[in-house]
Amino acid sequence: MLTTPWALRRNGILGINGRNVNYVADGNPTHLIPAVNDKIETKELARKAGVPTPELYGVIEIQAQVRHLDRILEGRESFVIKPARGAQGDGILVVDGRNRKGRKLASGKVMSDRALAHYISNVLSGMYSLQGQQDRAMLEEVVRFADVFDDVAEAGVPDLRIIVYRGVPTMAMARVPTRESDGKANLHKGGIGLGIDIATGVTIQGVYHNRIIHEHPESGAPLSGIELPEWDKIVEMSARCSEPTGLDYLGVDIVFDQERGPLLLELNARPGLSVQLSNGIGLETRLSQITDWVRPEHTLEERIAFGKSLQ
Amino acid sequence: MLRLLCATLIALGLGLFAYRAFVLDFPLTPDTNSPVWAFEIQADLPQSDNGARVSMYVPPEFGRYQPLREQFLSERMSLSIRSDPDGSRRAIWTTAELETATSVYYRATFFMKPVLSADRPQTKPPRDLPSDFDLVSERSLEQRTLANRMMADLERQAYDDDTLTSLLIDRLRDGSDDLARQLLDGRVGTTPVAETAAYVLNQQGRAARAVHGIPLRETVREATPIAWLELWTGSEWRTYDIASGDPFNPEDRMTLWRGDGDIVSAEGATLSGVRIALTRRDVGAVQALAQRQGDAERPLALATLLDLPVNTQLVLQSLLVIPLGVLVLVFLRQFVGVPTFGTFMPVLIALAFRSATLTTGLIILAIILGVGMAFRLAFSKMNLLLVPRLASMLTVIIMVMIGVSVGADSYALGTGFSVTLFPIVILTMTIERLSVTLEESGALDASKEFVGSVVVAVLSYLVMAIPLLQHLFFLFPELLLVILAILLMMGRYSGFRLSELRRFHELDMRG
């Protein structure tokens, strides 16, 4: 049940302290991090990088704007409310339509206009933001989830997490919600991390509550061998995000839309380490190869090719 | 860069610590009892119409034992203090008329441990050697002849000045031959022996003198000064014990004065009594250190937090151990990987525990959190805005604390416990975090973080409550530099956490 530090080091595993000291503290300048933590600014970064994102309908910055919700939405009835600085998918509300009583939520409940206004004001006062600072509420296009994971993802919308180091796509994982995780893709809430071969886009194995698994814990469906569509595009999108952010060590979150294909959802300046378990490979192994190889003059294509060649 | 900084901080901290602990003799442990001597010389004077002048030898200012506090007391007599070239100090009281019998007192407290360097110049070397035709000497020509005869005898036997002095003391003390008896003029005791030995040596051009003092052993109501001999070796004064005749280290004797004469002498009146009293009192070394105040010339290194007002000291005592608790917290977070609520919340809780016992503290924490959580759940149903809701929680927590205080008082639970020391704002935020974690991550995560926080708080408390550490950090605040260095180094720790050895153990089998 326990291993030794030297065994982990031999296997090239990256620990939290190692990530924080050697990659986040040394590679991600503090003044650049707020831009990735704020989803509105992230959208701007993505636009510069030429990476598609869900459409932003509008931003609510002060309480009084809630009254103009309909004008901001221009009559659209389905949208997502997100705290701009929310962490781990907290505070996201998916609205699917409306009826006489109020807004219909994706979860099936109905929320009165007053309750919705209250919800937004909680978002604005920083209830879901990282350090409780004042926040903004984003009104965003609802992603029409494309069923690319076959019958593995029945309980919610999975997303892809790609670790990019100095512009080189390093390791990838899909985060798949389960019934246990209540439709959320967060691994510590019981979601499954699905390791993806960065070169081919084929799933390898899963990680569930920090344990390596090969079948879905609820449905029993096999987790390996699922081939993801548009993989090359996804890898390219993630690599493109690196340059405008200015961050060395970056987590790129991508979702599949039925019509628009892969969309950038958010960026993360200190992505988690479960990706190692789901790939069965230590991150340090690959990061050190990148450190030795990468030069400022390397082009995007060279970086992508190197990332796909990583063992 | 960081290493250099840390090395400097550690060297600085430990260096200062070592200097103060070992050179200045600051107590290293809280409960080393060292004796403190209360010393009193009392001289009684009868009524006299002519007035009087009383001269009293008092302990020299720069002796081995420094007075912590001294007092010169008299009734209607004027006081002056003189220092002699040999370091002796005299208190001189004068008055033109003594209407009634009166007394003069010298009172002082001495600390047993020499707090400053023992090498302080005790006395200066003799400026001139005494002449052998000392006309002012009270001793007669006959005595001088006797002294010369004795010296001539001894010089035949002695190998060097050292043995000569020992032989001289032995012969005078034993009084077995006529020569010695005549020199002593029938007097007995250490004082005439030391004085006579000094006289004999002086006749031969050797600088020697009698030293008078009190042995510091037990409480004595009426102590008699004893004497020993000092001989100038050319570079230092060497001391000889009268009882053994050998050189010795007078470390358990408090020097009073040097040369011939009595401890108290009076002109114009006859002393009706002289009394020397000595009381031994065992006090904590820290207390003794605290009493050593009012020395304006002492070096800055001697300054301690004990000089501050007591209230400030109490606050500082708490503040100084916080870094220790934080050290425990950082260790548990970075090296073990214990999840906690907030960054410093466990240490602040631990600090609150300090004013109660651990059990009482935990019970009170449980009550506050329990009641607070109940209100929080109720509030969340009312759809309140965040800031007003937090403010309401704060108010609720203060009310709970008042309730706990009143309850604790009536049930005598942990007397003297100040509930207000619980960090109210931190508790409010803790309840907020607890309930948000509970709602969003479920009971498992919430309880993990909660248990982690309590474990860290308890461990921090246990470390902060170690009396030795409290004492050390209070007397040697420079140790904070060492803590700072350790914390800085931990800030660059990139190794694995204990929790990761479990988290990633499956990857080991594959590699």
Side-chain angles (χ1 to χ4, degrees):
Chain A
M1 288 305 273
L2 272 183
T3 181
T4 55
W6 39 95
L8 291 183
R9 199 161 295 131
R10 200 177 54 233
N11 286 295
I13 310 294
L14 184 64
I16 292 177
N17 292 325
R19 177 196 71 185
N20 289 348
V21 167
N22 297 329
Y23 296 101
V24 177
D26 289 353
N28 291 355
T30 321
H31 67 279
L32 296 176
I33 292 180
V36 277
N37 284 344
D38 189 310
K39 294 190 183 68
I40 299 171
E41 290 183 50
T42 302
K43 274 198 194 302
E44 182 57 23
L45 291 175
R47 196 187 55 76
K48 277 188 206 156
V51 172
T53 60
E55 190 189 338
L56 183 66
Y57 297 153
V59 177
I60 296 179
E61 291 183 45
I62 54 168
Q63 189 66 35
Q65 289 173 312
V66 176
R67 281 183 287 146
H68 309 304
L69 195 61
D70 281 320
R71 211 176 64 205
I72 295 168
L73 291 170
E74 294 165 355
R76 281 175 283 232
E77 290 189 350
S78 79
F79 56 95
V80 182
I81 300 174
K82 276 185 190 173
R85 296 189 204 164
Q88 303 183 330
D90 289 343
I92 293 176
L93 193 72
V94 183
V95 180
D96 236 1
R98 68 188 310 173
N99 61 14
R100 278 179 294 112
K101 284 182 181 169
R103 309 272 178 181
K104 285 195 286 187
L105 303 187
S107 60
K109 290 182 202 157
V110 176
M111 197 180 226
S112 70
D113 283 341
R114 239 182 94 193
L116 187 75
H118 174 77
Y119 182 86
I120 292 173
S121 72
N122 265 345
V123 169
L124 297 184
S125 61
M127 188 166 166
Y128 303 100
S129 72
L130 285 170
Q131 273 111 31
Q133 318 114 309
Q134 296 270 309
D135 205 353
R136 296 182 285 180
M138 306 163 68
L139 301 171
E140 208 180 48
E141 168 192 3
V142 179
V143 175
R144 299 294 160 198
F145 157 60
D147 189 13
V148 294
F149 289 95
D150 300 332
D151 44 15
V152 167
E154 297 173 316
V157 183
D159 65 5
L160 295 178
R161 156 68 58 85
I162 293 140
I163 307 282
V164 180
Y165 182 56
R166 302 207 187 170
V168 179
T170 310
M171 209 177 270
M173 170 174 81
R175 300 186 303 175
V176 181
T178 58
R179 285 191 199 90
E180 180 193 339
S181 74
D182 200 21
K184 292 192 174 178
N186 298 9
L187 296 195
H188 72 266
K189 288 177 186 169
I192 300 171
L194 213 49
I196 301 168
D197 183 357
I198 193 89
T200 61
V202 176
T203 60
I204 303 165
Q205 62 188 17
V207 57
Y208 173 68
H209 286 304
N210 284 328
R211 296 219 331 271
I212 292 172
I213 53 166
H214 299 279
E215 281 112 35
H216 194 287
E218 286 165 356
S219 69
L223 297 177
S224 57
I226 303 167
E227 200 176 331
L228 295 179
E230 298 184 80
W231 184 246
D232 287 341
K233 187 180 174 192
I234 291 165
V235 173
E236 192 199 315
M237 275 169 67
S238 61
R240 277 182 191 280
C241 291
S242 179
E243 205 257 316
T245 57
L247 302 180
D248 270 2
Y249 185 69
L250 189 67
V252 179
D253 290 359
I254 287 171
V255 283
F256 284 102
D257 186 83
Q258 282 171 0
E259 287 158 25
R260 299 183 61 197
L263 298 176
L264 173 73
L265 206 57
E266 58 183 284
L267 297 172
N268 197 316
R270 44 179 74 223
L273 300 166
S274 294
V275 67
Q276 305 179 96
L277 281 164
S278 65
N279 278 262
I281 297 168
L283 259 175
E284 189 73 52
T285 327
R286 292 190 174 175
L287 294 174
S288 58
Q289 289 179 59
I290 296 170
T291 310
D292 293 342
W293 172 81
V294 80
R295 295 287 172 272
E297 60 271 18
H298 283 130
T299 62
L300 183 73
E301 288 71 28
E302 283 172 317
R303 286 174 208 248
I304 293 170
F306 186 75
K308 287 188 172 179
S309 73
L310 284 169
Q311 288 307 303
Chain B
M1 179 62 193
L2 181 74
R3 280 189 192 166
L4 192 71
L5 177 66
C6 291
T8 316
L9 286 175
I10 290 178
L12 206 65
L14 287 184
L16 245 143
F17 167 71
Y19 175 68
R20 282 152 61 103
F22 301 114
V23 181
L24 300 182
D25 258 332
F26 277 25
L28 276 172
T29 44
D31 291 310
T32 340
N33 276 345
S34 37
V36 163
W37 297 95
F39 181 72
E40 182 183 285
I41 312 173
Q42 178 190 355
D44 305 324
L45 291 164
Q47 186 262 332
S48 147
D49 298 331
N50 303 327
R53 179 179 186 272
V54 183
S55 164
M56 178 191 283
Y57 281 109
V58 295
E61 213 169 348
F62 297 110
R64 182 175 178 88
Y65 299 102
Q66 257 198 298
L68 298 172
R69 212 184 291 140
E70 46 181 22
Q71 284 177 298
F72 300 84
L73 303 170
S74 70
E75 240 178 289
R76 292 189 304 279
M77 291 182 83
S78 58
L79 168 75
S80 64
I81 294 167
R82 300 220 180 123
S83 289
D84 293 349
D86 63 6
S88 303
R89 205 156 53 112
R90 277 181 300 160
I92 296 165
W93 283 278
T94 51
T95 182
E97 193 180 7
L98 276 173
E99 286 171 5
T100 54
T102 185
S103 298
V104 293
Y105 298 90
Y106 167 78
R107 284 191 191 134
T109 326
F110 292 88
F111 184 32
M112 183 71 185
K113 267 193 183 165
V115 282
L116 286 170
S117 164
D119 307 327
R120 274 193 104 121
Q122 292 188 341
T123 49
K124 297 181 185 82
R127 254 183 232 132
D128 317 291
L129 291 175
S131 62
D132 62 347
F133 46 91
D134 189 1
L135 290 176
V136 292
S137 169
E138 292 147 32
R139 296 186 190 240
S140 60
L141 194 67
E142 184 200 344
Q143 289 252 321
R144 242 172 56 205
T145 319
L146 290 169
N148 287 336
R149 271 179 56 200
M150 176 168 273
M151 246 2 225
D153 266 12
L154 290 171
E155 276 180 340
R156 277 199 298 275
Q157 304 167 28
Y159 164 70
D160 56 9
D161 276 7
D162 202 37
T163 46
L164 179 87
T165 311
S166 293
L167 283 170
L168 173 65
I169 292 171
D170 285 346
R171 199 162 156 189
L172 287 170
R173 184 193 58 225
D174 293 347
S176 47
D177 61 310
D178 285 350
L179 207 54
R181 271 202 293 274
Q182 280 176 314
L183 265 169
L184 286 171
D185 206 12
R187 295 180 299 157
V188 288
T190 56
T191 309
V193 171
E195 285 177 4
T196 308
Y199 172 73
V200 170
L201 289 165
N202 285 349
Q203 293 310 305
Q204 295 300 311
R206 291 175 172 88
R209 63 196 183 186
V211 186
H212 306 264
I214 303 277
L216 296 175
R217 285 197 200 99
E218 291 306 322
T219 294
V220 197
R221 277 276 178 79
E222 297 209 22
T224 332
I226 58 163
W228 58 96
L229 186 72
E230 279 183 349
L231 178 71
W232 181 251
T233 62
S235 58
E236 53 166 9
W237 289 99
R238 179 175 289 199
T239 48
Y240 290 84
D241 183 32
I242 300 302
S244 67
D246 294 329
F248 79 116
N249 180 9
E251 62 179 356
D252 61 342
R253 292 180 186 182
M254 187 172 68
T255 302
L256 288 175
W257 79 99
R258 292 186 164 84
D260 297 359
D262 292 323
I263 183 162
V264 188
S265 55
E267 286 169 33
T270 323
L271 290 165
S272 53
V274 174
R275 213 162 54 91
I276 303 170
L278 193 61
T279 320
R280 179 189 164 122
R281 215 155 35 93
D282 283 331
V283 298
V286 181
Q287 195 191 336
L289 193 64
Q291 287 178 348
R292 187 162 43 82
Q293 50 187 295
D295 185 354
E297 283 173 34
R298 69 181 168 175
L300 187 66
L302 262 180
T304 66
L305 301 177
L306 292 164
D307 301 335
L308 298 169
V310 176
N311 280 336
T312 318
Q313 285 188 32
L314 287 174
V315 174
L316 288 185
Q317 259 169 356
S318 294
L319 287 185
L320 281 162
V321 289
I322 294 180
L324 268 178
V326 176
L327 189 70
V328 173
L329 173 113
V330 172
F331 177 80
L332 288 175
R333 280 177 68 117
Q334 299 309 127
F335 289 73
V336 181
V338 181
T340 60
F341 284 127
T343 317
F344 292 120
M345 172 264 183
V347 175
L348 292 168
I349 297 289
L351 215 57
F353 286 167
R354 287 192 69 217
S355 60
T357 61
L358 188 56
T359 343
T360 327
L362 282 171
I363 292 172
I364 290 170
L365 180 68
I367 294 174
I368 294 174
L369 287 187
V371 179
M373 277 303 283
F375 274 90
R376 172 64 174 76
L377 289 176
F379 286 166
S380 70
K381 291 214 176 78
M382 297 176 200
N383 289 340
L384 304 172
L385 292 177
L386 178 74
V387 179
R389 192 186 63 219
L390 285 178
S392 315
M393 282 308 301
L394 193 83
T395 313
V396 166
I397 285 168
I398 290 173
M399 290 194 293
V400 176
M401 281 182 164
I402 294 170
V404 169
S405 289
V406 173
D409 197 45
S410 49
Y411 290 101
L413 234 176
T415 38
F417 173 71
S418 169
V419 106
T420 50
L421 279 170
F422 267 94
I424 299 159
V425 176
I426 293 288
L427 281 175
T428 311
M429 296 316 289
T430 302
I431 291 174
E432 181 67 17
R433 271 290 301 273
L434 188 61
S435 63
V436 169
T437 314
L438 199 62
E439 275 172 22
E440 286 172 4
S441 308
L444 188 72
D445 273 20
S447 51
K448 262 189 203 165
E449 278 189 32
F450 181 69
V451 170
S453 303
V454 171
V455 166
V456 174
V458 169
L459 287 177
S460 306
Y461 164 81
L462 290 177
V463 170
M464 290 196 287
I466 296 173
L468 180 66
L469 290 178
Q470 286 183 3
H471 165 83
L472 281 178
F473 277 81
F474 189 68
L475 266 197
F476 307 96
E478 60 268 24
L479 289 176
L480 287 184
L481 294 175
V482 180
I483 298 271
L484 179 63
I486 297 174
L487 288 172
L488 286 173
M489 286 190 291
M490 281 178 164
R492 289 298 296 180
Y493 172 71
S494 64
F496 295 103
R497 295 178 181 177
L498 194 61
S499 58
E500 288 175 329
L501 299 186
R502 188 171 136 65
R503 180 179 176 192
F504 294 126
H505 76 277
E506 285 189 284
L507 286 175
D508 181 24
M509 286 180 256
R510 295 170 179 265

